[in-house]
Amino acid sequence: MCLIAFAWQAHPRWRLLLAGNRDEFHARPSAALARWNDSVVIGGRDLEAGGTWLGVTDAGRCCVVTNVRDPRDPQLGASRGLLATDYLAGAADATAHAQALQADAAGYRPFNLLTFDEAAAFYLGNRPVPKAQAVMAGVYGLSNADFNTPWPKTRALMGHVEHWLAAHGEGDDFAPLFAALADEHRAPDQQLPDTGVGLERERWLSSAFIRGELYGTRASTVVALGHDGRGVIVERRFGPNGREEGETAMSFGEG
């Protein structure tokens, strides 16, 4: 994933409400949202490295991973996507997992990781050093920088999530969230971060939805996990230049 906003323990029906976009090279092979036949994971699948960028389980877990945008970083180490599948299929709860991962986090490519279970949520990262932070109730955002770094598109998506929480009460109409994920508005130059990729690329990457021939938004996903243990995950997929390639919606949970 490259853009995420989520609400944790901030809604009367949904324990977790998460909306995010996965940006990736279109040539990188991946499978659509599905129940994996060799794992408890429900999610899309990276067919190159075998992991996932976002997944859930019937046991009420959710995990999502982003990279860290820094062209100076050599990107060495184990695949980030394996972090998500290891957590989702593992026995450790979110708290124990966070404590254990800090010892091994440096061995992975640059990552940000969000983990959720029935009782706790954590942000974990490994740049510039391994770190773990418990997430309290509220609305948060994450992109290709540290947790809650106020990039314009991250702040904007957080605002849309906050508006959805206020406007939809007990509802499950996710259309406004998908509309926010489809926003192609670019931030003014004075608000752009400087991550070392140059001004033109910073402009292009500043929108929630990135349209491109070789690289761009591959999937938009909404996850809603209820206090009763039941949930829904919806994925919309896109090809080169934003071409629509289908939608999958799945219910899950053991409520």
Side-chain angles (χ1 to χ4, degrees):
M1 304 296 281
C2 286
L3 174 63
I4 301 158
F6 69 94
W8 172 247
Q9 302 288 8
H11 189 269
R13 179 179 179 185
W14 303 116
R15 168 165 47 99
L16 171 67
L17 177 73
L18 183 149
N21 277 343
R22 178 200 181 211
D23 303 330
E24 182 56 86
F25 287 99
H26 290 293
R28 186 169 180 129
S30 61
L33 169 67
R35 288 180 176 270
W36 296 11
N37 58 17
D38 59 349
S39 174
V40 299
V41 176
I42 303 167
R45 194 165 199 168
D46 175 16
L47 299 179
E48 185 172 298
T52 188
W53 50 94
L54 186 158
V56 298
T57 72
D58 285 313
R61 293 179 183 239
C62 178
C63 188
V64 58
V65 63
T66 83
N67 67 1
V68 177
R69 191 194 304 167
D70 185 351
R72 299 160 296 186
D73 196 296
Q75 298 284 320
L76 299 176
S79 171
R80 287 176 288 266
L82 300 177
L83 289 163
T85 52
D86 287 349
Y87 168 69
L88 292 168
D93 63 21
T95 301
H97 170 267
Q99 294 169 346
L101 181 58
Q102 287 189 82
D104 301 322
Y108 290 85
R109 296 171 192 171
F111 73 84
N112 295 309
L113 189 73
L114 294 169
T115 59
F116 306 89
D117 66 14
E118 292 184 346
F122 280 86
Y123 160 72
L124 302 105
N126 69 343
R127 290 298 188 274
V129 296
K131 59 198 131 182
Q133 173 185 334
V135 177
M136 302 295 104
V139 177
Y140 302 89
L142 180 63
S143 188
N144 303 120
D146 282 346
F147 191 39
N148 276 332
T149 297
W151 285 3
K153 65 180 180 181
T154 309
R155 294 200 311 268
L157 187 58
M158 289 172 62
H160 286 291
V161 168
E162 290 169 344
H163 179 76
W164 192 94
L165 293 173
H168 287 78
E170 296 290 326
D172 55 4
D173 175 13
F174 303 129
L177 296 176
F178 279 110
L181 292 170
D183 185 5
E184 297 187 54
H185 173 77
R186 296 184 181 185
D189 286 357
Q190 64 269 25
Q191 296 180 16
L192 295 175
D194 181 3
T195 61
V197 299
L199 179 58
E200 286 301 319
R201 193 166 182 83
E202 295 285 10
R203 289 169 174 162
W204 182 51
L205 296 174
S206 70
S207 60
F209 189 94
I210 298 171
R211 188 181 298 269
E213 178 65 30
L214 301 179
Y215 178 92
T217 299
R218 296 278 304 272
S220 296
T221 308
V222 172
V223 175
L225 181 57
H227 294 285
D228 63 358
R230 301 181 187 276
V232 61
I233 179 170
V234 185
E235 177 189 83
R236 293 182 179 177
R237 294 175 294 280
F238 307 93
N241 293 317
R243 183 181 66 240
E244 296 182 5
E245 293 193 337
E247 176 178 316
T248 303
M250 301 183 66
S251 297
F252 63 94
E254 300 174 344

